[in-house]
Amino acid sequence: MPTAGDQLPGGVTDLARQIAELRRQINELRAARRAGYTTVTNGRTTFTAESGWQIILDPDSDLPIMYFRDPNGAEMAALNATGAVGRPGFNLSSGPISDELAPDWRWVTFGGETESGANNNWVTSRFQTSNINRRIGGWLYLDPRAVQFGLVDSDTGINQILQIATQLAVFSGARLHVTPPASTSPGLTVAALAGHTGTLMTLYYAGTPMVTVGINGAASFAGQLSAQTLNIGSGSSSIGGDLTVTGASSVGADQSIGGAVKKTGETWQTPAFAATWASGTALGGNATFRGLQYRKTADDEVRVVGAAVSSGAGTTITTLPAGYRPPANKRALIRAYFSSGSGTPTSGWAQVTEGGVIAVGSSISGYTIANGTQCYIDGTFPLGNLA
């Protein structure tokens, strides 16, 4: 039976040979193991991790490409060159993404020179693999001259877009809602850069510029302008259409209004009568007249119309409130008609003072007021707010 000593090599040389052989065998085992995770086929190289994830390099594809796949073989992402000689660029794509619209969306980013060679840009958008002309979602576009942010919410193309180019921003396809932050500033200041020759701002409707702010801040309105309160300072403004104002307004110098000035919303008002006067319905035996009322007109005038009846000799019928009175030193006379209850009415005048008093004293009216005097006023006087 051999002993342990029989297993020893005959000399040091034999021992060295056995160690060298053992090293060779170990290296072959390591190489074989590595070869099990890397394959090369016609230049296509697949690197596989022990976890199962793969990186695939394929320079022989139509576009030299690199794929990233999960352990189940599903494509997670891809990176490829544009594939044209002398046209630098790349595509970075996610794997297929499913939602309620389609099962094969991909987010794709392209950067480089376009196929025609006429431009270079950067685009990020969502495409459908089975229909590369379909893209729904947000997108970003950059080129040397402009930047665009867009939203495609249907299959008809870009539905909303914000484009920023040199000294110009365009918002198209949607309404613009601007909410400024809290500020103690009384307003926003917009100034043109040196050398700017165009407008500062233009608002379009159906392709027609409706509001334009010129280089020096002059505003032009092509449509109808409606305002609850309109204050126009001394700057130059042009309103091409009608101006409709529902509240108090002041207009400074150098203003041009091409259409009619329309004041809307003013209704007839019944005055507070003096002690000896009340609203009436009769004049000269006719009892179908309207009671006395007043209001402002579209021409910046005050209209006073209607009947009143006296219970005494007082000559003050009513006092109009502030805002409905003649300017200082410009009291007005308006037509009035008087009757004692029957017969043909007598024509005369009513005076409107700067304090708003409507008076019918005999020196002005030509008629002596007494108990039962009927008066009908029909007249208009200017307020003087418009030139």
Side-chain angles (χ1 to χ4, degrees):
M1 179 176 180
T3 65
D6 296 332
Q7 305 303 316
L8 294 174
V12 176
T13 302
D14 291 337
L15 179 59
R17 289 195 186 98
Q18 290 183 15
I19 293 174
E21 178 62 20
L22 181 60
R23 287 176 175 172
R24 184 187 66 78
Q25 292 177 5
I26 291 174
N27 289 336
E28 288 180 353
L29 289 173
R30 288 176 175 172
R33 183 177 180 181
R34 286 196 300 269
Y37 293 105
T38 304
T39 60
V40 179
T41 304
N42 294 329
R44 179 186 175 103
T45 304
T46 302
F47 299 92
T48 306
E50 290 189 20
S51 63
W53 281 87
Q54 291 183 329
I55 298 176
I56 301 172
L57 302 178
D58 189 359
D60 196 40
S61 175
D62 292 339
L63 299 174
I65 195 166
M66 176 188 297
Y67 294 102
F68 300 86
R69 293 181 176 173
D70 70 9
N72 298 319
E75 181 183 337
M76 297 289 101
L79 172 64
N80 63 267
T82 55
V85 176
R87 182 164 63 89
F90 72 93
N91 286 302
L92 175 62
S93 170
S94 71
I97 298 173
S98 178
D99 62 21
E100 68 277 5
L101 296 177
D104 56 345
W105 294 108
R106 291 175 182 267
W107 282 102
V108 179
T109 297
F110 165 81
E113 193 172 85
T114 59
E115 186 173 357
S116 65
N119 192 19
N120 58 87
N121 54 39
W122 177 293
V123 182
T124 297
S125 186
R126 193 175 79 144
F127 292 85
Q128 189 178 356
T129 305
S130 58
N131 182 5
I132 62 174
N133 293 318
R134 187 186 193 203
R135 53 182 181 182
I136 296 181
W139 70 289
L140 168 66
Y141 173 88
L142 309 174
D143 71 22
R145 292 163 296 278
V147 55
Q148 294 179 351
F149 301 90
L151 174 63
V152 183
D153 56 16
S154 69
D155 292 325
T156 58
I158 301 172
N159 304 101
Q160 294 89 37
I161 181 175
L162 170 61
Q163 175 173 307
I164 301 174
T166 304
Q167 299 186 17
L168 178 66
V170 178
F171 190 79
S172 176
R175 294 172 296 171
L176 178 62
H177 186 129
V178 179
T179 304
S183 173
T184 58
S185 173
L188 299 178
T189 300
V190 180
L193 297 177
H196 181 71
T197 58
T199 59
L200 293 180
M201 181 184 71
T202 305
L203 298 181
Y204 288 84
Y205 175 74
T208 300
M210 304 302 293
V211 179
T212 301
V213 180
I215 181 65
N216 296 318
S220 175
F221 299 83
Q224 178 172 304
L225 174 64
S226 299
Q228 185 67 32
T229 301
L230 179 64
N231 294 306
I232 301 178
S234 59
S236 176
S237 298
S238 174
I239 301 174
D242 295 341
L243 173 64
T244 300
V245 183
T246 59
S249 302
S250 61
V251 181
D254 300 327
Q255 310 303 324
S256 173
I257 301 175
V261 178
K262 299 180 179 180
K263 190 169 185 62
T264 63
E266 182 81 345
T267 58
W268 285 104
Q269 303 180 59
T270 299
F273 289 92
T276 59
W277 287 87
S279 181
T281 60
L283 180 68
N286 189 325
T288 59
F289 288 93
R290 62 182 292 172
L292 184 66
Q293 290 183 306
Y294 67 96
R295 73 173 181 179
K296 291 180 183 178
T297 72
D299 297 320
D300 194 47
E301 296 177 329
V302 173
R303 179 103 165 112
V304 183
V305 177
V309 60
S310 173
S311 59
T315 59
T316 296
I317 297 178
T318 184
T319 300
L320 297 175
Y324 294 82
R325 301 170 180 175
N329 301 317
K330 293 184 180 180
R331 60 181 57 193
L333 289 178
I334 55 178
R335 179 60 64 181
Y337 301 88
F338 302 91
S339 172
S340 60
S342 63
T344 303
T346 299
S347 176
W349 298 95
Q351 177 181 245
V352 185
T353 71
E354 297 91 328
V357 174
I358 298 181
V360 288
S362 59
S363 61
I364 296 294
S365 67
Y367 193 89
T368 301
I369 305 301
N371 183 21
T373 297
Q374 299 170 349
C375 176
Y376 185 87
I377 296 176
D378 185 355
T380 302
F381 62 88
L383 289 173
N385 295 320
L386 294 180

